[in-house]
Amino acid sequence: MIEKPIIFKNVLDPKLFYNVYETMHKYLIWDINNRSYKNASPAWGLSNEQRNNELIFFKVATIIKLKCIQRYIRKKLQLTTIMYNGQTSGQKSEFHHDSPTTGLNDDSVWTFVLFTEHYWNTQWGGELVVQYPVGDEFDYFYAPYIPNSGVLIKSGWEHFGASPNHCTDNLRTTVGYTFTETSVLDERMKTPFGDKVMKYFVNT
């Protein structure tokens, strides 16, 4: 049972990681269309047409699931969402969950956030902040933005990616994946949040 966020370093092979970075910066077109929820402040994101066209992100999902997630979660999981996020200095992000229909301690839906910039100075900010329950209270977890590292959390935990600070004009990018336990996937598709869930039938 995972009770707090877990950080993973060196998630991908260096060559594959660079290919991910290169794909995000050379072959994808970013636009200010990304919101954590309906009325949230906008940040950089991708069009719907681009989100599911790059097979490299599905390959990464498979590696993350097998190398990282299933070291701790011994359940049959299905990739259900891929989320692309970009922020520049001053673009704030609000606390949100990736799966609002689940409770704080739901063990059936998980989020993995991968830090995808090839170079990042931690003095530039960009950390991931997670609020997670400890008994009847909440604690906060701060994961520094370190290239090719990632963080595993329950999708019901509130979190946000801090924007870069005034020390850089660089774009902070991440790719987020949600994985759902296959035994509850069909039920989740029927919920109000179900229209945001996709079944990616790849080797994950």
Side-chain angles (χ1 to χ4, degrees), residues 119-127 144-147 165:
Y119 173 77
W120 194 264
N121 187 325
T122 53
Q123 290 182 313
W124 295 348
E127 64 274 8
Y145 191 110
I146 299 175
N165 58 37

Side-chain angles (χ1 to χ4, degrees), residues 25 110 135 141 161 190 194:
H25 283 272
W110 301 87
F141 184 93
K190 299 174 185 177

Side-chain angles (χ1 to χ4, degrees), residues 22 41 101 121 141 143 162:
E22 189 175 48
S41 302
T101 58
N121 187 325
F141 184 93

Side-chain angles (χ1 to χ4, degrees), residues 24-41:
M24 296 188 77
H25 283 272
K26 289 189 176 181
Y27 305 114
L28 299 178
I29 299 173
W30 293 84
D31 194 7
I32 301 179
N33 61 3
N34 186 23
R35 289 177 167 83
S36 301
Y37 50 87
K38 185 176 180 181
N39 296 318
S41 302

Side-chain angles (χ1 to χ4, degrees), residues 101-110 154-157 184 188:
T101 58
T102 66
L104 288 173
N105 290 308
D106 190 332
D107 290 323
S108 65
V109 191
W110 301 87
K154 294 181 182 181
S155 296
W157 290 349
V184 302
R188 289 200 65 238

Side-chain angles (χ1 to χ4, degrees), residues 121-137:
N121 187 325
T122 53
Q123 290 182 313
W124 295 348
E127 64 274 8
L128 178 71
V129 183
V130 183
Q131 181 192 71
Y132 65 99
V134 179
D136 295 329
E137 300 180 346

Side-chain angles (χ1 to χ4, degrees), residues 106-189:
D106 190 332
D107 290 323
S108 65
V109 191
W110 301 87
T111 293
F112 190 98
V113 179
L114 177 67
F115 298 128
T116 47
E117 285 303 289
H118 187 250
Y119 173 77
W120 194 264
N121 187 325
T122 53
Q123 290 182 313
W124 295 348
E127 64 274 8
L128 178 71
V129 183
V130 183
Q131 181 192 71
Y132 65 99
V134 179
D136 295 329
E137 300 180 346
F138 291 94
D139 205 348
Y140 292 87
F141 184 93
Y142 296 82
Y145 191 110
I146 299 175
N148 200 17
S149 67
V151 184
L152 176 65
I153 64 173
K154 294 181 182 181
S155 296
W157 290 349
E158 291 200 340
H159 59 280
F160 74 90
S163 66
N165 58 37
H166 67 280
C167 295
T168 183
D169 293 327
N170 285 20
L171 180 68
R172 170 201 186 271
T173 62
T174 60
V175 178
Y177 296 93
T178 62
F179 295 86
T180 302
E181 188 178 348
T182 55
S183 63
V184 302
L185 187 54
D186 288 338
E187 284 301 313
R188 289 200 65 238
M189 294 289 288

